[in-house]
Amino acid sequence: MADPFRVLVTGDNLAPAAVNVLSEIGADVVLMRDAVTPERLTHEMATAPTQAILMRGNPVFSSAVIASNPHLRVIAKHGAGVDGVDIDAATKQRVLVMVAGDANAPAVAEHTIALILALGRDVVSLNARTHSGAWDRATYRGREIRGRTLGLVGFGRIARHVARTAAALGMNVVALGRSKGRVDPALAREAADLAELLTVSDIVSLHAPLTDATRGMIDAARLNAMKSGAILINTARGALVDEDALCTALKSGHLAGAGLDTLAQEPPAKDRPILQAPNLIVTPHIAAQTGASITRTGVEAARNIAAVLMRRDIDRANVVNPAALDPP
């Protein structure tokens, strides 16, 4: 009898439904507790042949880590972002890197809309003032979301969900995809470039992957190019934004607010300046953390692994590096 597959999970838990998917193919599921470092990954994969990684969080899979395991066939992300993986190294070793499709997109989109509404209607600041004894009904004048322009930087699965909901709220939606022609005209108008999107948008929401090209893309110059009184939302990757520049833009009043579910450093140091900025809502990278989303995402990641290990049909839409599928 052949040895069972070994699936290493870079986290301390996995939804039972996802574990069942892997158990059905006879896989041993190994959970990793505590910090997951490259050294620990290399050591753990050296203890026994490991055919698959179910990647929770965003640990670093460097070229050295990938090369240290000749048995590895697939790295399946429990979500969408794979910026911690050296994609070129994985492709060279013919290791598929896969994401969990649309599984967590509805949850992240809902959280994006929640941040837009909370900031757009000053929910957090009014709540704090009311609890402190103020009653601003006679003087407060808010702005409706309806009729405002939402700019989506990136137009993948999450952004498309956001676009549909924003349109239902009466917003005008413009978007910028990774390349021309990727924006569905039924959902949004395609911006000519990032400069145009920033200029016309009342609210800018980031949905781009973190790459060398996008790291720090929302810098001081681009923040200054945004409308006075605009709002910035980031439920993608913290490092897309220059946090010091954002802090300045919020303190000066150039931006009316910002909603961040991700930060460049997670968890942040308590004295990190961005946390002291006014009109800022920060949540602890939980946009995808609903019970239903966690189960859907775990099951999709497990199915990706099962398809690769059992040589079943692979959902190519979930494959980040399709070149790894090409004949050697």
Side-chain angles (χ1 to χ4, degrees), residues 180-324:
K180 287 293 182 182
R182 294 193 58 161
V183 174
D184 182 348
L187 297 177
R189 177 180 71 80
E190 185 171 32
D193 51 29
L194 182 57
E196 187 215 348
L197 183 143
L198 296 177
T199 300
V200 304
S201 299
D202 300 298
I203 300 159
V204 174
S205 186
L206 305 182
H207 301 282
L210 180 62
T211 66
D212 289 342
T214 62
R215 186 179 298 275
M217 67 186 297
I218 305 300
D219 56 12
R222 284 175 169 151
L223 289 167
N224 289 335
M226 291 173 63
K227 283 185 177 183
S228 178
I231 289 170
L232 178 70
I233 306 292
N234 186 11
T235 55
R237 284 290 185 262
L240 296 173
V241 179
D242 180 332
E243 290 178 358
D244 291 337
L246 175 58
C247 190
T248 298
L250 289 168
K251 286 182 176 179
S252 72
H254 174 62
L255 293 190
L260 308 178
D261 185 54
T262 57
L263 295 166
Q265 178 191 29
E266 296 181 354
K270 292 181 180 180
D271 61 352
R272 197 163 183 83
I274 188 63
L275 298 180
Q276 309 308 316
N279 299 322
L280 174 71
I281 298 176
V282 181
T283 52
H285 207 150
I286 47 73
Q289 298 297 95
T290 69
S293 174
I294 289 169
T295 296
R296 285 195 308 269
T297 306
V299 168
E300 185 70 5
R303 285 174 177 166
N304 285 337
I305 289 171
V308 174
L309 299 186
M310 299 301 290
R311 303 188 186 281
R312 299 170 181 165
D313 289 339
I314 294 169
D315 186 343
R316 288 177 174 255
N318 289 348
V319 178
V320 176
N321 57 340

Side-chain angles (χ1 to χ4, degrees), residues 26-317:
D28 286 339
V29 178
V30 180
L31 302 177
M32 295 183 71
R33 293 175 171 80
D34 303 321
V36 180
T37 63
E39 294 76 17
R40 189 175 171 211
L41 283 168
T42 299
H43 172 77
E44 186 62 45
M45 289 190 292
T47 62
T50 301
Q51 291 80 20
I53 302 292
L54 199 154
M55 184 178 166
R56 301 212 64 178
N58 199 36
V60 174
F61 281 86
S62 64
S63 58
V65 171
I66 293 169
S68 70
N69 181 6
H71 305 282
L72 189 60
R73 292 169 58 187
V74 57
I75 299 172
K77 178 63 186 287
H78 192 286
V82 292
D83 42 280
V85 180
D86 187 322
I87 301 298
D88 290 339
T91 303
K92 183 178 180 181
Q93 194 164 310
R94 307 189 63 73
V95 173
L96 284 184
V97 180
M98 303 184 71
V99 295
D102 200 48
N104 70 355
V108 178
E110 281 188 10
H111 195 74
T112 301
I113 293 294
L115 290 172
I116 290 171
L117 289 170
L119 285 162
R121 298 303 299 268
D122 302 302
V123 171
V124 174
S125 58
L126 287 171
N127 173 68
R129 283 184 53 77
T130 303
H131 274 282
S132 70
W135 191 256
D136 295 327
R137 188 173 189 275
T139 57
Y140 176 75
R141 295 294 180 269
R143 290 182 62 191
E144 296 178 8
I145 293 297
R146 184 178 180 84
R148 301 180 78 181
T149 298
L150 171 64
L152 302 174
V153 181
F155 204 68
R157 294 176 171 102
I158 295 169
R160 290 194 288 271
H161 278 280
V162 173
R164 292 185 187 97
T165 306
L169 291 170
M171 301 185 77
N172 304 310
V173 184
V174 298
L176 187 67
R178 294 191 207 183
S179 57
K180 287 293 182 182
R182 294 193 58 161
V183 174
D184 182 348
L187 297 177
R189 177 180 71 80
E190 185 171 32
D193 51 29
L194 182 57
E196 187 215 348
L197 183 143
L198 296 177
T199 300
V200 304
S201 299
D202 300 298
I203 300 159
V204 174
S205 186
L206 305 182
H207 301 282
L210 180 62
T211 66
D212 289 342
T214 62
R215 186 179 298 275
M217 67 186 297
I218 305 300
D219 56 12
R222 284 175 169 151
L223 289 167
N224 289 335
M226 291 173 63
K227 283 185 177 183
S228 178
I231 289 170
L232 178 70
I233 306 292
N234 186 11
T235 55
R237 284 290 185 262
L240 296 173
V241 179
D242 180 332
E243 290 178 358
D244 291 337
L246 175 58
C247 190
T248 298
L250 289 168
K251 286 182 176 179
S252 72
H254 174 62
L255 293 190
L260 308 178
D261 185 54
T262 57
L263 295 166
Q265 178 191 29
E266 296 181 354
K270 292 181 180 180
D271 61 352
R272 197 163 183 83
I274 188 63
L275 298 180
Q276 309 308 316
N279 299 322
L280 174 71
I281 298 176
V282 181
T283 52
H285 207 150
I286 47 73
Q289 298 297 95
T290 69
S293 174
I294 289 169
T295 296
R296 285 195 308 269
T297 306
V299 168
E300 185 70 5
R303 285 174 177 166
N304 285 337
I305 289 171
V308 174
L309 299 186
M310 299 301 290
R311 303 188 186 281
R312 299 170 181 165
D313 289 339
I314 294 169
D315 186 343
R316 288 177 174 255

